[in-house]
Amino acid sequence: MIIHDLDFAEMYREHMRCSDRPEKPASVWDERARSAGAKMMQGDYAKAFLARMDLSGAATLLDIGCGPGTIGVPLAGRLEAVYGLDYSPGMLECLTDNARAAGADNVTPILRSWTDDWEGVPVCDIAVASRSSLVPDMADALHKMTSHARLRCYMTHLVGGHFGDAAIAELLGRQVRAFPDYVYIVNILHGMGIHPRVDYLTFPGRLAGTRDAQEFIDKVAWSFGELNADEQARLAEWYGADPERARRGGGDICWALISWEPAGTLAT
C-alpha cells in the first residue's frame, strides 16, 4: 500500500534506531564465514532468488552485502563480470574461494559497507542486495543501489520484522521490537518515482534442523544478541524438554523480493 505525504525515509530511520537489533561488526561475519560459508551457498533460498531474476541484456552484476557469493557466484558463468561488495574481509575471502571452486575468474571482491563512500564502486547492469538490507538509512541505501544499476535492482527484505520466535523471546524475558518492514522500501521507492514489483519467498526459520542444544543456543544468540549464563541454561533446559519443539521454533521466515528498474518504469 502506498501512503502519500509521509516521510517514510525518516520513519524508517527512527524505527531502525529504536529496534533491538544487536550490532554485528565485521568480525562477527568473519567468524560466520569460516563456520557456515559453504552452507550459505546452498539451499532453496538462492534457487528461488535466482529463478526470479531477469538477466536479459545484462553483462555485469553488483552484489551488495554479497557474503560468500550466494547470488553472485552462481551467476558468474552467465555474465562478463561480478562484483561482490561486503564489509567483512572473511566473507570476501570466502567469496573468492567459492568463485575459484566454481571456476569463475571474473568475480571481484570490494571491501565496502552500505554506509561507506561508494566512490569507485562500478556501475553495473544489475544490482542485488540479498538479505543484506537492514541498514540504518534505507533512503541512502536505495539511492546508492539505484545509481549503481543500469537495468534492474533486486532486494530481499524481511516481512513482518522478526527473525526470532515469540515463545523464545518470552522465555528469555525479552521484548524484541520488530525491524522495519519491507513496506517502508516500497514507499521510499515510490517517493523516488519508482514503482517496484513485490514477490514473496517463504522458507523454514533459522532454528529448523537444529542438531543439539549448543547449536540451538548459538542460533538464538545470533538473533537475540549475547546471552548470559542464566539465559543459556534456560534455553538448554527448554531444548532438552522437547528437542522437536525447539527445532520447529521460529516458524517460517518470509522475505519480500522487491525489484525495480532505475529509470522508474512501471513494473508489469
Side-chain angles (χ1 to χ4, degrees):
M1 180 174 65
I2 304 296
I3 303 175
H4 300 278
D5 301 323
L6 292 175
D7 187 349
F8 282 94
E10 179 54 35
M11 291 169 64
Y12 174 95
R13 288 189 289 266
E14 178 60 24
H15 191 152
M16 199 63 187
R17 284 192 291 266
C18 295
S19 73
D20 298 316
R21 176 174 168 79
E23 289 290 333
K24 287 186 170 64
S27 59
V28 172
W29 290 106
D30 291 345
E31 181 62 31
R32 187 167 175 81
R34 287 189 287 269
S35 63
K39 183 178 179 181
M40 292 169 72
M41 286 290 296
Q42 304 166 0
D44 294 336
Y45 169 86
K47 294 176 183 177
F49 190 111
L50 293 168
R52 287 163 173 79
M53 291 183 66
D54 177 7
L55 298 182
S56 59
T60 56
L61 174 81
L62 176 63
D63 188 356
I64 305 162
C66 64
T70 306
I71 302 301
V73 169
L75 293 176
R78 302 166 62 184
L79 299 167
E80 293 178 8
V82 171
Y83 299 91
L85 185 150
D86 207 295
Y87 75 117
S88 162
M91 283 294 182
L92 292 179
E93 182 178 349
C94 195
L95 166 74
T96 301
D97 291 343
N98 287 330
R100 185 181 302 112
D105 60 1
N106 58 341
V107 178
T108 302
I110 301 174
L111 184 61
R112 212 74 61 92
S113 74
W114 278 108
T115 56
D116 287 337
D117 185 345
W118 278 24
E119 183 178 0
V121 174
V123 176
C124 294
D125 294 320
I126 295 176
V128 302
S130 168
R131 299 186 293 194
S132 62
S133 59
L134 283 176
V135 296
D137 188 333
M138 181 57 69
D140 180 65
L142 292 174
H143 279 287
K144 281 180 174 174
M145 185 172 180
T146 301
S147 66
H148 282 76
R150 299 186 188 92
L151 299 177
R152 297 169 207 101
C153 294
Y154 296 88
M155 172 183 281
T156 45
H157 192 85
L158 188 64
V159 174
H162 285 289
F163 287 113
D165 178 57
I168 294 172
E170 183 177 354
L171 177 70
L172 296 175
R174 299 193 182 190
Q175 296 295 323
V176 178
R177 181 173 180 180
F179 301 131
D181 192 72
Y182 77 97
V183 175
Y184 283 105
I185 299 172
V186 173
N187 281 283
I188 293 170
L189 286 170
H190 181 266
M192 294 166 58
I194 293 172
H195 303 272
R197 178 186 294 110
V198 182
D199 198 357
Y200 300 93
L201 312 178
T202 303
F203 304 96
R206 290 179 173 178
L207 301 180
T210 302
R211 293 166 295 184
D212 54 42
Q214 187 56 56
E215 184 180 11
F216 175 70
I217 292 169
D218 291 343
K219 287 183 175 181
V220 172
W222 181 258
S223 294
F224 287 88
E226 186 175 354
L227 303 170
N228 61 38
D230 178 65
E231 289 172 328
Q232 292 186 45
R234 272 184 275 162
L235 288 170
E237 182 180 359
W238 196 78
Y239 181 91
D242 189 346
E244 282 303 315
R245 174 191 62 184
R247 293 188 187 105
R248 293 191 303 271
D252 290 341
I253 291 181
C254 182
W255 298 92
L257 175 57
I258 306 164
S259 57
W260 67 95
E261 298 173 8
T265 303
L266 182 65
T268 59

